């Protein structure tokens, strides 16, 4: 019979991981069209069959997941009296249920997940899960292999503990003229180009201003920061800053697997 596996359907609807869902089935907590559900591989038609878990209807509509290309200038919050927030960028019904999973600084751009699934958000942010976050960063100054070594060892950034090891990859070192005469004067460097380095950095924690503070710890400054990925989820290259789209089933399943 065609259709979707019951365990996959339940996991995608946010009822738990595939193994948690198996337990729910074993305990008889799931019904399909009023009858106790059978095996995890039982096939169902999500459009027609009525699935209940712990007495509550399960539908893929229950939880919603969006990837937003956060532009600079928006707070990663649901509301604020003074500044625009990322939720302002969404045109969705029942928008008030949605919230950003974690925070990007107001001047940071890139991948931000918005959802109403508190369980998934909690797991993605849990320090125990070590979900990788990769950023593109433009750094003032020349980033060296020595810096990469220091990132790999973990850095003192003024917290109780050092940061966990981070992966730093140098993409490009280049010179750029100062943006304006004022800027040049301010730094008494008229006529001299500045050196910048483009890097990719992967961290598995989410401490406040973490990437910026890690570069400060090696004497350098982040001048642009953009998140490229979170776990297996990558920012869609077809999105422009301020645009968003729903996650695909495969993206959602990938994220859940990251957490297993
Ligand atoms: N690290 C930072 O410093 N800022 C961000 O927005 C994200 C990670």
């Amino acid at each position: 019979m065609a259709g979707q596996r019951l365990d996959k359907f339940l996991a995608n609807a946010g009822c738990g991981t595939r193994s948690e869902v198996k337990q729910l089935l074993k305990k008889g907590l799931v019904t399909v069209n009023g009858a106790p559900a059978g095996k995890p591989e039982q096939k169902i038609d999500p459009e027609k069959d009525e699935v209940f878990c712990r007495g509550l209807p399960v539908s893929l509509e229950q939880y919603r997941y969006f990837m937003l290309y956060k532009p600079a200038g928006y707070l990663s919050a649901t509301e604020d009296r003074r500044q625009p927030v990322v939720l302002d960028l969404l045109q969705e019904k029942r928008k008030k249920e949605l919230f950003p999973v974690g925070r990007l600084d107001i001047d940071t751009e890139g991948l931000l997940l918005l959802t109403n699934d508190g369980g998934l958000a909690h797991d993605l942010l849990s320090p125990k899960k070590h979900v990788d976050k990769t950023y593109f960063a433009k750094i003032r100054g020349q980033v060296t292999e020595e810096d990469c070594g220091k990132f790999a060892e973990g850095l003192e950034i003024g917290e109780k503990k050092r940061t966990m090891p981070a992966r730093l990859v140098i993409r490009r070192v280049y010179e750029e003229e100062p943006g304006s005469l004022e800027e040049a004067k301010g730094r008494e460097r008229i006529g001299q180009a500045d050196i910048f380095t483009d890097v990719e950095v992967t961290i598995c924690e989410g401490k406040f201003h973490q990437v910026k503070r890690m570069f400060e710890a090696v004497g350098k400054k982040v001048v642009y920061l953009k998140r490229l990925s979170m776990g297996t989820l990558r920012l869609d290259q077809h999105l422009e800053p301020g645009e968003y789209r729903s996650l695909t089933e495969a993206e959602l399943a990938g994220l859940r697997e990251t957490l297993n």
Side-chain angles (χ1 to χ4, degrees):
M1 189 177 95
Q4 192 180 2
R5 277 179 67 120
L6 180 57
D7 58 348
K8 193 170 174 218
F9 170 79
L10 291 166
N12 285 346
C15 296
T17 62
R18 287 287 265 276
S19 54
E20 283 163 354
V21 157
K22 282 201 178 85
Q23 290 303 315
L24 292 171
L25 287 164
K26 235 188 201 168
K27 290 183 188 158
L29 295 171
V30 180
T31 60
V32 178
N33 301 326
K39 300 216 159 71
E41 59 272 19
Q42 179 178 343
K43 294 281 171 56
I44 60 138
D45 180 344
E47 300 289 319
K48 293 195 192 128
D49 291 326
E50 285 183 350
V51 181
F52 279 67
C53 178
R54 299 178 192 275
L56 294 172
V58 180
S59 102
L60 290 177
E61 280 292 289
Q62 186 178 353
Y63 290 124
R64 294 175 295 154
Y65 307 87
F66 300 99
M67 85 158 60
L68 168 72
Y69 185 160
K70 177 193 173 298
Y74 285 78
L75 280 181
S76 297
T78 51
E79 54 185 5
D80 190 82
R81 272 202 241 135
R82 287 187 208 134
Q83 279 161 306
V85 295
V86 288
L87 270 194
D88 296 341
L89 296 161
L90 267 56
Q91 287 98 45
E92 291 299 317
K93 46 187 179 167
R94 293 182 288 121
K95 193 161 93 163
K96 287 205 170 116
E97 294 171 6
L98 300 168
F99 52 85
V101 177
R103 284 170 189 274
L104 291 178
D105 297 337
I106 191 154
D107 57 347
T108 301
E109 299 188 355
L111 175 66
L112 191 63
L113 177 63
L114 292 124
T115 183
N116 56 344
D117 182 347
L120 184 84
H122 173 270
D123 284 354
L124 283 170
L125 298 174
S126 163
K128 290 188 198 135
K129 297 282 184 181
H130 302 308
V131 174
D132 279 348
K133 271 99 33 190
T134 297
Y135 296 83
F136 167 85
K138 177 176 173 179
I139 309 297
R140 185 185 298 286
Q142 181 158 2
V143 178
T144 61
E145 288 304 324
E146 198 188 336
D147 294 330
C148 297
K150 289 181 182 165
F151 272 61
E153 280 167 17
L155 286 163
E156 289 294 347
I157 59 168
E159 300 269 331
K160 273 195 207 131
K161 283 191 190 166
R162 277 170 175 260
T163 63
M164 303 267 298
R167 195 166 60 246
L168 175 58
V169 180
I170 299 167
R171 291 283 176 225
R172 186 167 79 103
V173 180
Y174 53 100
E175 289 191 351
E176 221 172 67
E177 295 300 326
S180 67
L181 191 58
E182 281 313 302
E183 208 182 308
K185 273 187 198 154
R187 285 183 277 114
E188 296 173 351
R189 298 200 48 170
I190 303 171
Q192 269 186 325
D194 277 341
I195 293 185
F196 291 90
T197 311
D198 287 349
V199 299
E200 271 183 36
V201 57
T202 303
I203 57 174
C204 63
E205 303 162 287
K207 296 191 193 306
F208 186 59
H209 294 331
Q210 182 161 343
V211 173
K212 292 174 185 165
R213 287 161 73 199
M214 288 179 84
F215 278 100
E216 268 165 32
V218 295
K220 285 159 195 137
K221 187 171 164 52
V222 173
V223 293
Y224 172 77
L225 190 61
K226 172 180 172 182
R227 183 153 65 192
L228 304 175
S229 66
M230 185 176 197
T232 50
L233 189 64
R234 292 196 68 80
L235 179 64
D236 186 332
Q237 293 193 350
H238 296 105
L239 291 178
E240 297 289 334
E243 290 183 346
Y244 70 97
R245 67 158 171 80
S246 293
L247 295 200
T248 64
E249 269 196 36
E251 284 170 335
L252 190 53
L255 265 188
R256 290 194 195 292
E257 255 156 49
T258 312
L259 298 167
N260 280 341

